[in-house]
């Protein structure tokens, strides 16, 4: 936080650390017979785009489905978009051979990596699936090309729950007015 004097008035400028809450709690998630212990927030602000710090309802629904239908994942390679804390990708790692979890936010990537380390070291040390993390901002061709180079065979399944694309508002409005 910075304080500036501007003609007698005090102006408080908040940097990004003001919005970051990293008070993660180890939380238990159960999907069928699968139990996951992950660090996450129990609630979060959508300020500073940190929505990936907690588990959203869409991921819970998808994980429930996947735990009841593990044959969908058997021996496959998975790319997960917008992985957040990793609840879906880590669950998938119990059934498939390879999972690449992606997110675009550096703070979210930190907790994602911590959860993968926690999972592979304490919960399931004999997991056959390779878990990896990559930064992926949608539309960033450099990041996409790095993933393609590292995984030239592609993926059998691409998953994403509770994900969105934030469009540039002026571009969206321009497109809207051109359409009418």
């Amino acid at each position: 936080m910075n304080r500036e004097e501007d003609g007698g008035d005090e102006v408080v400028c908040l940097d990004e650390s003001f919005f970051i809450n990293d008070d993660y709690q180890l939380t238990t998630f159960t999907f069928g017979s699968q139990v996951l212990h992950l660090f996450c927030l129990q609630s979060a602000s959508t300020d500073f785009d940190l929505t990936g710090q907690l588990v959203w309802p869409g991921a819970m629904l998808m994980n429930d489905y996947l735990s009841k239908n593990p044959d969908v994942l058997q021996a496959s390679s998975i790319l997960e978009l917008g992985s957040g804390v990793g609840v879906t990708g880590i669950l998938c790692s119990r059934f498939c051979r390879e999972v690449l979890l992606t997110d675009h936010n550096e703070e979210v990537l930190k907790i994602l990596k911590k959860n993968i380390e926690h999972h592979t070291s304490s919960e399931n040390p004999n997991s056959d699936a390779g878990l990896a993390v990559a930064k992926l901002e949608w539309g960033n061709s450099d990041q996409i090309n790095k993933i393609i180079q590292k995984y030239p065979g592609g993926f059998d399944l691409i998953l994403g729950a509770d994900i969105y694309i934030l469009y540039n508002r002026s571009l969206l409005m321009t497109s809207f007015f051109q359409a009418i």
Side-chain angles (χ1 to χ4, degrees), residues 73-79 96-100 151 153-158:
L73 305 170
Q74 289 297 322
S76 62
S77 62
I78 307 288
L79 170 65
C96 61
R97 69 179 153 79
E98 178 178 59
V99 182
L100 177 62
Y151 300 89
F155 299 93
D156 299 315
L157 187 60
I158 298 174

Side-chain angles (χ1 to χ4, degrees), residues 65-66 69-80 88-101 127-132 151 153-159:
Y65 172 82
L66 293 171
N69 299 282
D71 53 310
V72 171
L73 305 170
Q74 289 297 322
S76 62
S77 62
I78 307 288
L79 170 65
E80 184 184 9
T88 298
I90 292 172
L91 175 69
C92 288
S93 74
R94 302 216 171 152
F95 306 108
C96 61
R97 69 179 153 79
E98 178 178 59
V99 182
L100 177 62
L101 298 96
S127 174
D128 294 331
L131 284 168
Y151 300 89
F155 299 93
D156 299 315
L157 187 60
I158 298 174
L159 298 174

Side-chain angles (χ1 to χ4, degrees), residues 31 48 66 68 70 90-91 93 109 113 123 136 139 161 173:
F31 305 102
F48 198 62
L66 293 171
K68 291 175 182 173
I90 292 172
L91 175 69
S93 74
L109 287 169
K113 290 174 185 175
E123 286 192 20
L136 179 58
M173 293 306 290

Side-chain angles (χ1 to χ4, degrees), residues 56 83 95 97 112 120 157 167:
W56 291 89
S83 299
F95 306 108
R97 69 179 153 79
L112 176 58
T120 56
L157 187 60
Y167 287 102

Side-chain angles (χ1 to χ4, degrees), residues 86-153:
V87 68
T88 298
I90 292 172
L91 175 69
C92 288
S93 74
R94 302 216 171 152
F95 306 108
C96 61
R97 69 179 153 79
E98 178 178 59
V99 182
L100 177 62
L101 298 96
T102 66
D103 210 288
H104 74 98
N105 185 286
E106 292 295 337
E107 192 65 29
V108 173
L109 287 169
K110 287 179 197 174
I111 190 62
L112 176 58
K113 290 174 185 175
K114 181 177 180 176
N115 279 330
I116 288 174
E117 287 173 17
H118 178 73
H119 169 75
T120 56
S121 66
S122 65
E123 286 192 20
N124 198 10
N126 298 321
S127 174
D128 294 331
L131 284 168
V133 175
K135 181 172 183 164
L136 179 58
E137 296 174 285
W138 296 357
N140 184 316
S141 58
D142 290 337
Q143 292 170 358
I144 293 169
N145 287 332
K146 284 180 186 177
I147 291 171
I148 290 170
Q149 288 173 2
K150 190 168 181 179
Y151 300 89

